[in-house]
Amino acid sequence: MTKRAPPGTSRAAPRPAARAESRAGEAGPNPPLLPAWREIVDPSLPFLLPLLLLAVGRFVFWLYLPFASEDAYITFRYARNLVAGNGLVFNPGERVMGFTSAPWTLWTSLGYALLRDTVLWTRVWTMLGDVTTLLVLGTLLRRHASPAAAWCFNFFFAAWPYVAAVGVSGMENSLMVTLIVLAAALSARRSAASGPVLGLLALWRPEGVAAAAIIGLGALWRDRLVALAILIAGALALAGYYGSPIPQSLFAKSQMYGTPGPWLGRHWWEWLSPFSFGRWPIASEANNLLPLTVLLAPALVRGVPEMWRARSSGLALAIAGALTVWLGYALLGVAYFNWYMIVPLAGIVALAAVGAPHIVRGRGLYVSAALFVVGMWTLAPNLYLGRAKAEYFGFGVIADYLLQHARPGEKVMLEPIGLIGYHAPLRVVDEVGLVSPQVARRRLQGSGWYTDIANQERPEWLVVRRNVLKTGEAWAGAGAPFRSDVERDSLLAHYRTMTGTDEEAGDLSMVVLRRIR
């Protein structure tokens, strides 16, 4: 016969005590979205230390990176034109959606109207968003995985230099992580706020539609319909103003850089495999992560069944939403831009954090991983400071020259349209086609596009990389700029070289030419 336990006693729980501890304090069907203040300030819980690390990391980059990233200034110019009464346009009179996030652009416009400082505005709101991500996702990890999982994610998210660098970039991608986490947590709680947040996520970026659709599987029909109504209303407004709800920037990038599929686009996943595929990862951010692969890969695999068992939870929905974005990038082979990595990385690290406590025994590996993350601050900042320096000396110098020597309203043809376009009051002809659809269409037709566009637009100024003039090869994207050296020389005969950046910069070196006849 089996002896029954006496009243007041219980058998050993099959799950770790830490799991039970993580659920302490929950009440009712809707546990708190955020930790209580006493939990936030408790140094033994995974909130206080990560919040301090997050603040320190942002302060360091805020101090040493006074400018936003190059592409952020495209959005900033749209914001300034809207406040100035020119409409939500890059070039006055040209309704082209060259930004990727309409809500972020409008929010940045409000910041410009209030502060006249878009860099400060975007950094403050991204910081608030990252704090929200840390608190909400950390709470979900404690509740549905374990305190150790919450510590793993929150420590990485707060201390990894790349996350801090994107947080001060002025780009909208960090806040997309926040929206994914909030939409998932609210949907699982059956909150009435989940519909508006899901709708905002769907409008945030094109890939936000896919993330919102996956997260919406865990929402009530009421909230799905609210989100759909918001998406449709936003799409109709964009279509009414620009002629299409799909950003021209999306068309241009996909056409110029292509979508070659998962093998040629393996920069999105090769760094997750312990097996090397004939090369080191080509993305700098992936190279920095490579030593963690031996832990990330098995932790990811172990985290999958855990999240499948909790698939209706806010944690599973958040991870699924972020990984949907990553899967789309990887399958299509989307061109790599460093700020794109933040959403996939958040989902991957969260899932690995769920699995890590199941494969790690003892504290040694945790300490080693933490030391690696902190030690990356002796290396990674050089990467981001180097990029900022290259952009300033490559683009900022040109912007200052055009500001002093060009007349407002003159036309300039160039590829880096962000920093230069924001500071120099010129009409821009964009070599990639983000704000100049005619350029993207012509480039797809083959060689000679640079000559044809220059002859058609007759810009007073050309800003071009020296390497393009020397070799006749495009800096990036489809189509050769010239049909022949003779054609190139014939075009340049109409221009005179005025200034340029340091030739020692190699391919990054740029030259400014002014039309003389």
Side-chain angles (χ1 to χ4, degrees), residues 130 134 198 207 264 308 311 399 469:
D130 285 346
L134 190 149
L198 278 169
E207 58 268 41
L264 291 180
W308 178 253
R311 56 188 175 275
L469 299 181

Side-chain angles (χ1 to χ4, degrees), residues 81-104:
N81 275 332
L82 179 61
V83 175
N86 297 319
L88 199 58
V89 296
F90 192 85
N91 291 320
E94 299 178 10
R95 292 192 178 186
V96 180
M97 187 168 30
F99 53 80
T100 310
S101 175
W104 182 239

Side-chain angles (χ1 to χ4, degrees), residues 379-465:
L379 299 172
N382 294 328
L383 168 65
Y384 303 110
L385 292 174
R387 284 177 181 170
K389 182 179 178 181
E391 288 182 354
Y392 174 76
F393 287 106
F395 310 147
V397 170
I398 302 298
D400 288 340
Y401 180 86
L402 292 174
L403 183 62
Q404 296 176 24
H405 295 88
R407 292 190 294 270
E410 288 185 331
K411 193 177 293 186
V412 59
M413 182 172 171
L414 74 167
E415 173 263 320
I417 66 172
L419 196 63
I420 297 173
Y422 183 76
H423 290 287
L426 302 175
R427 183 170 293 272
V428 169
V429 179
D430 169 24
E431 288 184 19
V432 176
L434 304 179
V435 300
S436 304
Q438 73 277 16
V439 176
R441 290 193 296 267
R442 174 59 190 87
R443 289 190 67 166
L444 293 177
Q445 297 172 11
S447 61
W449 62 266
Y450 192 94
T451 304
D452 291 348
I453 292 296
N455 287 333
Q456 174 186 327
E457 298 287 344
R458 296 179 62 84
E460 286 84 3
W461 301 88
L462 299 177
V463 177
V464 62
R465 301 178 191 273

Side-chain angles (χ1 to χ4, degrees), residues 220-261:
L220 297 175
W221 268 107
R222 171 202 67 191
D223 302 314
R224 297 175 191 170
L225 293 175
V226 170
L228 183 61
I230 292 173
L231 174 61
I232 291 174
L236 289 176
L238 291 170
Y241 193 80
Y242 294 109
S244 170
I246 303 175
Q248 169 61 25
S249 57
L250 176 64
F251 283 125
K253 286 181 179 180
S254 61
Q255 291 169 341
M256 292 303 102
Y257 307 127
T259 51

Side-chain angles (χ1 to χ4, degrees), residues 134-194:
L134 190 149
L135 293 177
V136 175
L137 192 51
T139 298
L140 291 174
L141 283 160
R142 281 186 72 210
R143 180 178 304 140
H144 300 291
S146 66
W151 266 110
C152 288
F153 177 84
N154 279 3
F155 185 88
F156 181 92
F157 186 78
W160 191 245
Y162 165 73
V163 180
V166 176
V168 300
S169 69
M171 302 299 291
E172 70 274 8
N173 303 73
S174 290
L175 276 171
M176 185 173 175
V177 177
T178 307
L179 288 174
I180 287 174
V181 171
L182 279 176
L186 292 170
S187 294
R189 288 168 55 85
R190 302 297 190 259
S191 168
S194 61

